[in-house]
Amino acid sequence: MVDLDFTVNMTFEELSGEFSQERMDSVAKALEEVLVSALPQGGITVGVYEAAKSLNVDPDNVVLCILATDDEDVKDVALQIHFTLIQAFCCENDINILRVNNTRRLAQILGGAGGGSKQNGGEPMDLHCVLVTTPQSTSWKDPALSKVNGFCRESRCMDQWVPIINLPDR
């Protein structure tokens, strides 16, 4: 016989599948910290096609997949198909996924940390998909990454497989 006597302390928002604004802001801040710390270590892959190549070659080193859109991107059918395929691959390979709704802020974070928001040819970077990978030389332990991954796990428990984070403008 299995003893299922345990206590779960959840708020109404958590039971209904919603997180408090304070919690969402905390996760957004942690996400920024993850991106800023991974960038100088070479742990960021930017772009839908680059991400797909990286996922195909070495999915075990990917610790987080960020899919970013703005309001006008919702109507881009090709982008939505790419997102669906990337999401399926990430789910199959136990890679946490977040959706971010502010590509301009994402560009500021990546550009402000030394990455720049332009590619070598002067074209804007494709920030619709950003992968965070672990540096191959170390076992990277980041408390902010643990917080983001914990949020993703909690979201999945509430049937939110791809939670959406609002990156506030600064």
Side-chain angles (χ1 to χ4, degrees), residues 12 14 17 20 28 31-32 37 39 48 56 64-65 81 94 97 99 107 117 119 131-132 135 143-144 149 151 157 169:
F12 175 74
E14 291 169 333
S20 70
L31 178 59
E32 287 186 38
S37 66
L39 194 60
V48 171
N56 189 43
L64 182 64
C65 176
I81 291 170
D94 296 322
I97 312 164
R99 211 111 179 206
S117 60
Q119 291 177 336
L131 297 181
V132 179
N149 285 338
F151 174 76
C157 288
D169 286 320

Side-chain angles (χ1 to χ4, degrees), residues 111-159:
S117 60
K118 301 254 184 214
Q119 291 177 336
N120 293 341
E123 295 179 29
M125 279 197 290
D126 172 15
L127 294 170
H128 291 111
C129 185
V130 176
L131 297 181
V132 179
T133 57
T134 57
Q136 294 185 350
S137 60
T138 64
S139 59
W140 183 44
K141 299 291 181 204
D142 184 349
L145 180 62
S146 296
K147 184 176 207 166
V148 171
N149 285 338
F151 174 76
C152 290
R153 273 191 309 277
E154 290 172 23
S155 295
R156 280 194 304 274
C157 288
M158 295 184 296
D159 286 332

Side-chain angles (χ1 to χ4, degrees), residues 3-89:
D3 182 21
L4 297 176
D5 185 28
F6 58 89
T7 304
V8 176
N9 295 319
M10 295 181 79
T11 65
F12 175 74
E13 289 82 12
E14 291 169 333
L15 287 171
S16 66
E18 298 175 14
F19 290 103
S20 70
Q21 187 61 45
E22 181 180 306
R23 175 72 194 272
M24 298 299 280
D25 292 344
S26 168
V27 173
K29 186 176 186 305
L31 178 59
E32 287 186 38
E33 291 174 19
V34 168
L35 293 170
V36 168
S37 66
L39 194 60
Q41 299 178 45
I44 299 288
T45 301
V46 177
V48 171
Y49 295 109
E50 291 78 7
K53 286 190 278 186
S54 181
L55 286 167
N56 189 43
V57 171
D58 193 11
D60 294 334
N61 278 336
V62 178
V63 293
L64 182 64
C65 176
I66 302 160
L67 302 174
T69 58
D70 286 322
D71 292 337
E72 62 272 5
D73 295 324
V74 174
K75 298 173 186 167
D76 185 342
V77 175
L79 181 62
Q80 297 307 318
I81 291 170
H82 288 298
F83 279 4
T84 301
L85 295 171
I86 289 170
Q87 288 173 24
F89 188 90

